[in-house]
Amino acid sequence: MRRLKKLTSVLLAVSVLMSLTACGDKNNSSTPEGEPQRTFPNEVVTAIPKGEESQNDGTEVVAAEDGPRVYIGETTAKAGEYADVTVYVENAEKNWSFCGLHITYPDVLKPKMLELGDSNDGLVDYTKGEASEFASGINVTEWTVNIPEELTSKNLGCLFIAEMFTDNYGMDGAIVTFQLKIPDDAESGTVYPIGFYYMDTDAFMNKSGDKALQKYTFDNLREGSITVE
């Protein structure tokens, strides 16, 4: 019974996050407390060009002059090993309450998955960082179906990171770290870019739903890389 209650709470938390990011509802919702949980993948909708977001009255969103800066770190690893990839945020201390981010990588790299028996439901293994200390729900999944041609034509894989808090409890620092396996035959010096793919479900918002801050965030994403030692 305890495990069933825990799973139900987790699904509720991520359901609320997906509803907020997809529909633009920025009202505060009651969410379960406790440790962050790994949850099940959600359907991803069609991508839209970056910068077309509008206010509720239809006017175009103007980016704030300053705001959260989300970026991916640069790291190294040897051929055949797993490389740690970390997503960071700065200039956002106690000023964000949820995020939904798509991370891209060359599809020759393979994410380390959770070991859950016959099926892991696309769940990627991860470690939460200090920015996520007070998160009430975290979800990192591999995107494996209905991937846009824009990605497949470039031989890119994609992960989705979703995270939520009960208030503006998001901090600065590492959000999550996941691992990508380097091919056994990768040559020393090879650089694999790790980037972002913007979709209309993506979000980086505070409790008040400040779209100007969110636009600043997505206008200033910084990509990272893995270099083979």
Side-chain angles (χ1 to χ4, degrees), residues 54-98:
S54 63
Q55 303 282 7
N56 293 334
D57 60 4
T59 59
E60 184 179 353
V61 175
V62 177
E65 293 184 1
D66 197 10
R69 293 184 288 272
V70 176
Y71 64 98
I72 299 169
E74 297 183 350
T75 188
T76 63
K78 296 178 181 179
E81 294 184 346
Y82 280 98
D84 290 336
V85 178
T86 303
V87 181
Y88 297 92
V89 62
E90 61 185 13
N91 202 38
E93 187 87 359
K94 296 183 180 179
N95 194 30
W96 63 286
S97 62
F98 64 95

Side-chain angles (χ1 to χ4, degrees), residues 165-201:
F165 302 79
T166 57
D167 208 319
N168 288 332
Y169 297 148
M171 310 295 280
D172 283 345
I175 298 176
V176 295
T177 296
F178 57 89
Q179 294 183 309
L180 295 173
K181 188 177 187 298
I182 308 300
D184 293 337
D185 59 355
E187 295 184 2
S188 177
T190 301
V191 178
Y192 297 106
I194 312 299
F196 294 93
Y197 182 65
Y198 180 78
M199 303 190 69
D200 61 0
T201 50

Side-chain angles (χ1 to χ4, degrees), residues 25-218:
D25 180 5
K26 304 304 183 299
N27 295 326
N28 186 34
S29 301
S30 176
T31 56
E33 297 180 355
E35 289 297 315
Q37 303 296 326
R38 295 169 170 84
T39 55
F40 297 94
N42 291 273
E43 183 179 0
V44 182
V45 302
T46 304
I48 62 172
K50 182 177 177 182
E52 289 191 3
E53 187 177 15
S54 63
Q55 303 282 7
N56 293 334
D57 60 4
T59 59
E60 184 179 353
V61 175
V62 177
E65 293 184 1
D66 197 10
R69 293 184 288 272
V70 176
Y71 64 98
I72 299 169
E74 297 183 350
T75 188
T76 63
K78 296 178 181 179
E81 294 184 346
Y82 280 98
D84 290 336
V85 178
T86 303
V87 181
Y88 297 92
V89 62
E90 61 185 13
N91 202 38
E93 187 87 359
K94 296 183 180 179
N95 194 30
W96 63 286
S97 62
F98 64 95
C99 71
L101 303 167
H102 286 87
I103 309 297
T104 62
Y105 51 90
D107 60 12
V108 295
L109 307 179
K110 303 302 177 183
K112 183 178 182 181
M113 311 300 289
L114 285 178
E115 297 180 1
L116 299 177
D118 294 336
S119 174
N120 68 0
D121 295 297
L123 300 179
V124 175
D125 197 5
Y126 70 87
T127 302
K128 73 172 184 176
E130 62 272 17
S132 305
E133 180 179 358
F134 306 112
S136 57
I138 303 176
N139 179 39
V140 182
T141 56
E142 182 184 19
W143 191 2
T144 58
V145 297
N146 300 323
I147 302 174
E149 192 272 340
E150 183 179 354
L151 296 181
T152 58
S153 65
K154 298 176 182 177
N155 299 313
L156 294 177
C158 191
L159 301 180
F160 183 64
I161 299 171
E163 183 168 348
M164 72 182 308
F165 302 79
T166 57
D167 208 319
N168 288 332
Y169 297 148
M171 310 295 280
D172 283 345
I175 298 176
V176 295
T177 296
F178 57 89
Q179 294 183 309
L180 295 173
K181 188 177 187 298
I182 308 300
D184 293 337
D185 59 355
E187 295 184 2
S188 177
T190 301
V191 178
Y192 297 106
I194 312 299
F196 294 93
Y197 182 65
Y198 180 78
M199 303 190 69
D200 61 0
T201 50
D202 290 0
F204 198 93
M205 299 288 283
N206 56 20
K207 182 180 176 181
S208 65
D210 190 331
K211 289 188 176 182
L213 282 180
Q214 173 169 273
K215 181 165 175 46
Y216 177 92
T217 301
F218 285 112

Side-chain angles (χ1 to χ4, degrees), residues 1-9:
M1 178 64 69
R2 182 177 179 182
R3 292 180 62 185
L4 179 59
K5 181 177 180 181
K6 186 175 183 180
L7 176 58
T8 301
S9 297

